[in-house]
Amino acid sequence: MTKQDKSFIPDAGLEHAIDLLRHTPPEQVELPVTFSEHGIGELETLDLLAPHVLGSATYLDSPNALAHMDPPTPWITWATTLWNSRLNQNLLHPATAPFAIKAERKVIEWLAPFFGMNGGHMCSGSSVANLTALWTARDTKQIEKIVASKAAHISIEKAARILGLPYGQIATKSVGQIDPEKLGDISNACLVLTAGTTATGVIDSLELVGQAKWSHVDAAWAGPLRLSPDYADLLDGIEKADSIAVSAHKWFFQPKDSALIMFREPEMANPAIS
Ligand SMILES: Cc1ncc(COP(=O)(O)O)c(C=O)c1O
C-alpha cells in the first residue's frame, strides 16, 4: 500500500499561491456581494482572496510596523505550516499522528528544563494555557481564589469566571509591577504573576513565586528570554512556579496558534486535566 495518494499533490496551485505571496496584489476593500452559486476552482479562489488576505494584511516585518509582541514569522515556519495543514495530524493517538506526538514530547523535553519545569504540553495560545494552569490549581490544590495584578492579561479573569472562582485584582506599583503590599492573605489562593505584561512588557517580581498555594507565571510574552544567555536572569525565580504559560507565537517566532503550558509536577497535574 502506498503511503499517500499523489493525486492530492497539486500541480500548479501551490506555486501560484507562493507567487501571489511574492507579488502581493494591491489591497481590495470590498468582498463580493453575492455568494457564488458554483465552486469557482482553487486558482480563481486564490486570485479572488489574495487582494483581501494578502493585500490588506498588516505586515509585521514592514519598516513602518512598530515593534509588537507578535513577531513577523520566518519563512521556514510558513513551509512547516503548509506541511501541517496538508497532513492534519490528530494527536489523539499514535496511529493518527506517529511523529507529531513524539515531536510535541521532544519540544517539551527540550524547553521545560529552561524554566525548571518537568513536563507539560502544547496548546493553541496562552489564554488556553492560563486556563489549563488555573484549572489544574483548582482541581489539585483546591485553591479558593485567583489573584493577579490589574495589568494581568484578560484571559486570567476570564479563566477565573469559567472555573467559578473569585478573582482578586491587585494594584500595581508605579512601574506596573504587582504591589506585594496589597496582596493580602494568599495562603489559599493561586497567585498569577505576569512575565511581560501585555501593554508595557513589565515583569512582576518573581520573588513572590511560591508564596501562594499555587503560583502560576503567565510568561506568554517574555518567557523565551529564558533561552537567552544575556537575559535569562530577568526570569530568575520562575523555576519555583507550579505552572508556566508561554506563547510560541510571540517571542518563539512561530505562527499562530501555538503555546506551551508547563508544570513543575506533571505527574500530579496530568491526571487532573486528562
Ligand atoms: C501577558 C499575556 N498573557 C496571555 C496572553 C494571551 O495569549 P494568546 O494570544 O497566546 O492566547 C497575552 C496575549 O497578548 C498576553 O500578553
Side-chain angles (χ1 to χ4, degrees), residues 177-221:
Q177 280 182 317
I178 195 165
D179 185 348
E181 309 271 293
K182 305 275 166 43
L183 277 178
D185 179 14
I186 51 169
S187 55
N188 273 324
C190 170
L191 172 63
V192 179
L193 298 164
T194 308
T197 56
T198 315
T200 59
V202 163
I203 299 170
D204 281 334
S205 166
L206 298 177
E207 282 178 12
L208 296 169
V209 172
Q211 297 198 7
K213 199 164 198 183
W214 184 283
S215 300
H216 172 64
V217 180
D218 175 1
W221 184 3

Side-chain angles (χ1 to χ4, degrees), residues 91-131:
L91 276 77
L92 160 80
H93 192 274
T96 52
F99 177 68
I101 289 175
K102 273 193 246 167
E104 182 192 26
R105 285 201 193 118
K106 189 46 96 180
V107 166
I108 297 289
E109 226 175 272
W110 280 337
L111 294 182
F114 285 93
F115 298 87
M117 299 290 109
N118 296 302
H121 59 266
M122 299 185 78
C123 57
S124 60
S126 284
S127 303
V128 170
N130 285 335
L131 173 62

Side-chain angles (χ1 to χ4, degrees), residues 54-70:
L54 302 173
S56 64
T58 298
Y59 282 86
L60 298 169
D61 44 358
S62 150
N64 300 328
L66 192 67
H68 187 258
M69 65 183 133
D70 292 328

Side-chain angles (χ1 to χ4, degrees), residues 9-269:
I9 299 184
D11 290 331
L14 289 179
E15 283 76 6
H16 186 57
I18 291 170
D19 228 41
L20 288 165
L21 263 185
R22 278 209 185 92
H23 311 286
T24 304
E27 175 176 0
Q28 194 173 309
V29 183
E30 297 304 324
L31 279 166
V33 180
T34 51
F35 185 63
S36 171
E37 278 286 318
H38 305 285
I40 58 172
E42 290 90 343
L43 292 184
E44 212 176 304
T45 303
L46 287 176
D47 288 335
L48 176 80
L49 289 176
H52 300 282
V53 177
L54 302 173
S56 64
T58 298
Y59 282 86
L60 298 169
D61 44 358
S62 150
N64 300 328
L66 192 67
H68 187 258
M69 65 183 133
D70 292 328
T73 46
W75 71 262
I76 188 168
T77 69
W78 313 350
T80 50
T81 301
L82 179 67
W83 288 356
N84 201 26
S85 59
R86 187 269 182 257
L87 298 168
N88 211 18
Q89 304 288 279
N90 191 331
L91 276 77
L92 160 80
H93 192 274
T96 52
F99 177 68
I101 289 175
K102 273 193 246 167
E104 182 192 26
R105 285 201 193 118
K106 189 46 96 180
V107 166
I108 297 289
E109 226 175 272
W110 280 337
L111 294 182
F114 285 93
F115 298 87
M117 299 290 109
N118 296 302
H121 59 266
M122 299 185 78
C123 57
S124 60
S126 284
S127 303
V128 170
N130 285 335
L131 173 62
T132 308
L134 303 180
W135 169 26
T136 311
R138 185 193 68 178
D139 289 5
T140 59
K141 290 288 170 90
Q142 286 73 48
I143 51 146
E144 287 167 10
K145 63 178 175 179
I146 293 166
V147 293
S149 96
K150 74 180 201 318
H153 189 256
I154 187 71
S155 59
I156 304 296
E157 183 172 358
K158 286 183 180 177
R161 286 193 190 194
I162 291 168
L163 296 167
L165 290 166
Y167 180 62
Q169 219 171 35
I170 311 295
T172 51
K173 297 191 287 188
S174 59
V175 287
Q177 280 182 317
I178 195 165
D179 185 348
E181 309 271 293
K182 305 275 166 43
L183 277 178
D185 179 14
I186 51 169
S187 55
N188 273 324
C190 170
L191 172 63
V192 179
L193 298 164
T194 308
T197 56
T198 315
T200 59
V202 163
I203 299 170
D204 281 334
S205 166
L206 298 177
E207 282 178 12
L208 296 169
V209 172
Q211 297 198 7
K213 199 164 198 183
W214 184 283
S215 300
H216 172 64
V217 180
D218 175 1
W221 184 3
L225 288 177
R226 206 61 186 155
L227 276 71
S228 154
D230 294 336
Y231 299 105
D233 60 350
L234 289 176
L235 300 189
D236 278 355
I238 201 168
E239 66 285 353
K240 297 200 191 91
D242 296 288
S243 53
I244 301 174
V246 181
S247 288
H249 52 219
K250 295 186 171 73
W251 278 7
F252 276 139
F253 293 86
Q254 296 304 302
K256 290 185 171 30
D257 296 326
S258 60
L260 309 162
I261 172 66
M262 294 175 285
F263 296 105
R264 193 155 45 83
E265 295 182 58
E267 56 296 331
M268 174 181 67

